[in-house]
């Protein structure tokens, strides 16, 4: 599989009013939902939603310059669908919603489902850029806005899980935000777990159960797959694996936060050192609130322990360096109306919004000119 063979295209297919009964029902739900408030879901709670087995396939990200190609493991979409079907007896609205949009002919419905179950091309472009930068990841606050399959974050996590203990300095916090809880359960968390399993951090767990043999005494579980992101496989999920994953997080001083809900209800507390987003400017009317989230993540004090004074902010910038904000997307989203030109126009607006985030700056780090143009930008504010 290569990045050019990803099944998703640059076009968003909307369910339009009057198409059929499904469209009307979806629009009715949109009115009822009314921008769900952003809230954190605990890692423990999400781990409890994992199935007994995760099927995955390799995702190939083509090389950039002198850097080798990258392979990441990604949960199969059909496997997520199977999990939802097996849970149809439950009455959890997020599960019903997830199943409906896995089967629907629409890529997204604004305010109801925002397309996070699929991997979009610009997220791979963003990984290419990240792989070319010599980041100091340990001890940083990292945020991915509109994470969906979280491929960029999975890449950074794999780097963190590969660091030796001597380079693990301070607490590292990764925040993963998506509109839909079902996306975090079905795709985001499994991909994060796969990033850990394919890294050296899972070696002790794999050695304890010997790859290729049955896991523990439960012979119903298939053998552990090799930690090879180039090959497809099935990963058995059991208490021992979950415990090993949590132990690795503790050993690496790594904290993962899952946030679900709307950007319009987002309140950013810490300042982030690395801010990522891809394929999130597909609607012109959502770009101002997206920029507000990015600006707040960029400009806020790094932690509650630091006073938000000018002196404190200057001292903090000198010790940590300026935040890095990377934005990946297309120049045009057919059927949606947004794109990078609208994003840049809003970013450069000297008026800002609510007297904030005015006069932003940007530079192109990567451009893909075949077909619909895609770019990766680095965005900053003074």
């Amino acid at each position: 599989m290569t990045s050019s063979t990803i099944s998703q295209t640059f076009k968003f297919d909307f369910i339009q009013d009057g198409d059929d009964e499904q469209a009307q029902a979806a629009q009715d739900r949109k009115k009822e939902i009314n921008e769900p408030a952003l809230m954190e879901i605990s890692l423990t709670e999400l781990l409890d939603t994992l199935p007994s087995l995760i099927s995955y396939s390799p995702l190939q990200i083509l090389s950039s310059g002198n850097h080798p190609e990258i392979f990441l493991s990604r949960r199969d979409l059909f496997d997520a669908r199977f999990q939802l079907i097996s849970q149809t007896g439950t009455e959890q609205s997020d599960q019903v919603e997830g199943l409906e949009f896995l089967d629907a002919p629409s890529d997204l419905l604004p305010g109801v489902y925002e397309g996070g179950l699929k991997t979009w091309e610009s997220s791979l472009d963003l990984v290419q850029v990240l792989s070319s930068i010599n980041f100091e990841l340990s001890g940083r606050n990292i945020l991915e806005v509109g994470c969906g399959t979280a491929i960029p974050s999975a890449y950074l996590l794999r780097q963190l899980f590969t660091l030796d203990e001597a380079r693990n300095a301070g607490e590292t916090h990764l925040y993963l935000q998506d509109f839909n809880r079902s996306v975090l359960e079905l795709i985001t968390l499994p991909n994060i777990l796969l990033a850990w399993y394919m890294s050296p951090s899972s070696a002790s767990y794999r050695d304890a159960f010997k790859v290729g043999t049955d896991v523990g005494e439960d012979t119903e579980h298939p053998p552990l797959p090799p930690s090879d992101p180039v090959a497809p496989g099935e990963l058995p999920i059991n208490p021992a694996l979950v415990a090993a994953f949590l132990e690795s997080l503790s050993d690496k001083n790594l904290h993962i936060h899952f946030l679900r809900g709307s950007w319009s209800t987002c309140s950013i507390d810490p300042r982030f050192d690395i801010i990522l987003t891809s394929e999130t400017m597909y609607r012109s009317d959502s770009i101002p609130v997206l920029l507000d989230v990015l600006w707040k993540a960029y400009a806020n004090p790094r932690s509650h322990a630091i006073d938000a004074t000018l002196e404190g902010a200057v001292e903090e910038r000198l010790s940590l360096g300026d935040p890095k904000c990377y934005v990946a997307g297309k120049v045009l989203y057919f059927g949606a109306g947004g794109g990078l030109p609208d994003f840049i126009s809003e970013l450069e607006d000297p008026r800002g919004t609510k007297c904030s985030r005015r006069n932003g700056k940007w530079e192109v780090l990567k451009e893909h000119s075949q077909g619909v143009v895609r770019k990766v930008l680095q965005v900053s504010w003074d």
Side-chain angles (χ1 to χ4, degrees):
M1 179 188 301
T2 67
S3 58
S4 62
T5 61
I6 292 179
S7 61
Q8 293 75 38
T9 67
F10 59 82
K11 181 178 180 180
F12 283 112
D13 296 318
F14 284 91
I15 295 176
Q16 301 292 342
D17 287 336
D19 283 351
D20 50 30
E21 293 181 0
Q22 179 191 31
Q24 186 59 52
Q27 292 291 352
D28 290 343
R29 277 193 310 280
K30 178 182 176 182
K31 295 176 182 178
E32 294 172 1
I33 290 176
N34 192 26
E35 299 295 325
L38 195 76
M39 61 179 293
E40 181 167 357
I41 306 171
S42 73
L43 175 58
T44 302
E45 183 178 343
L46 285 181
L47 286 169
D48 288 339
T49 68
L50 288 170
S52 60
L53 193 70
I54 289 177
S55 172
Y56 61 88
S57 297
L59 178 64
Q60 181 184 10
I61 302 171
L62 300 181
S63 60
S64 177
N66 296 324
H67 299 275
E69 61 185 359
I70 299 166
F71 286 89
L72 295 171
S73 296
R74 173 185 58 172
R75 187 182 190 185
D76 293 319
L77 195 57
F78 77 82
D79 190 52
R81 183 179 185 278
F82 178 78
Q83 179 183 344
L84 278 172
I85 291 174
S86 67
Q87 296 172 339
T88 52
T90 67
E91 296 182 356
Q92 296 186 30
S93 60
D94 283 310
Q95 292 171 345
V96 175
E97 167 197 287
L99 181 59
E100 179 172 349
F101 287 106
L102 276 172
D103 289 335
S106 172
D107 289 327
L108 60 88
L109 181 66
V112 179
Y113 166 68
E114 297 291 345
L117 291 168
K118 300 179 181 180
T119 300
W120 304 98
E121 297 94 333
S122 293
S123 66
L124 309 188
D125 298 336
L126 183 51
V127 172
Q128 287 183 327
V129 168
L130 295 176
S131 70
S132 67
I133 300 173
N134 185 22
F135 280 113
E136 180 59 59
L137 296 173
S138 183
R140 298 296 189 248
N141 289 337
I142 304 168
L143 168 68
E144 184 171 359
V145 178
C147 64
T149 57
I151 297 302
S153 292
Y155 170 75
L156 293 183
L157 265 180
R158 194 175 71 177
Q159 302 305 104
L160 280 164
F161 282 130
T162 305
L163 292 176
D164 57 44
E165 298 301 325
R167 293 184 59 191
N168 260 347
E171 291 187 353
T172 303
H173 291 264
L174 172 64
Y175 290 76
L176 297 164
Q177 180 275 329
D178 197 89
F179 187 89
N180 297 98
R181 174 181 175 132
S182 57
V183 170
L184 297 175
E185 290 183 3
L186 296 167
I187 300 293
T188 310
L189 176 59
N191 287 347
I192 295 304
L193 195 62
L194 287 167
W196 164 78
Y197 185 81
M198 299 299 168
S199 77
S201 288
S202 69
S204 59
Y205 170 74
R206 290 183 278 109
D207 291 343
F209 291 104
K210 297 181 181 179
V211 170
T213 62
D214 289 335
V215 179
E217 298 178 356
D218 187 351
T219 57
E220 292 183 1
H221 283 299
L224 288 179
S227 58
D228 180 9
V230 176
E234 294 182 328
L235 179 63
I237 307 298
N238 55 74
L241 179 139
V242 171
F245 172 64
L246 293 174
E247 183 178 356
S248 291
L249 293 181
S250 178
D251 290 343
K252 297 292 185 182
N253 214 356
L254 177 58
H255 305 267
I256 304 179
H257 310 265
F258 295 87
L259 309 172
R260 62 89 71 192
S262 170
W263 298 333
S264 64
T265 64
C266 181
S267 176
I268 300 294
D269 288 328
R271 169 207 160 210
F272 289 89
D273 305 295
I274 301 171
I275 305 154
L276 311 172
T277 192
S278 60
E279 307 277 17
T280 49
M281 67 290 301
Y282 49 81
R283 289 190 356 248
S284 297
D285 60 356
S286 68
I287 288 175
V289 69
L290 168 63
L291 270 166
D292 279 342
V293 172
L294 297 179
W295 181 83
K296 290 173 184 176
Y298 186 97
N300 274 13
R302 188 172 188 273
S303 70
H304 299 293
I306 299 177
D307 292 332
T309 61
L310 178 60
E311 181 180 356
V314 171
E315 182 177 335
E316 182 183 11
R317 287 286 180 94
L318 290 174
S319 62
L320 294 172
D322 286 333
K324 308 299 181 186
C325 180
Y326 302 101
V327 177
K330 301 181 178 73
V331 298
L332 179 64
Y333 290 88
F334 295 105
L340 283 171
D342 289 346
F343 178 88
I344 291 171
S345 176
E346 190 73 25
L347 172 70
E348 294 178 331
D349 187 349
R351 296 169 299 174
T353 296
K354 299 179 181 178
C355 300
S356 68
R357 63 162 180 76
R358 61 184 62 189
N359 291 323
K361 299 178 176 62
W362 59 276
E363 61 174 311
V364 177
L365 301 183
K366 177 180 174 59
E367 181 170 344
H368 179 91
S369 58
Q370 295 180 349
V372 175
V373 176
R374 307 194 306 267
K375 297 180 182 181
V376 179
L377 310 180
Q378 181 168 347
V379 173
S380 61
W381 290 269
D382 293 332

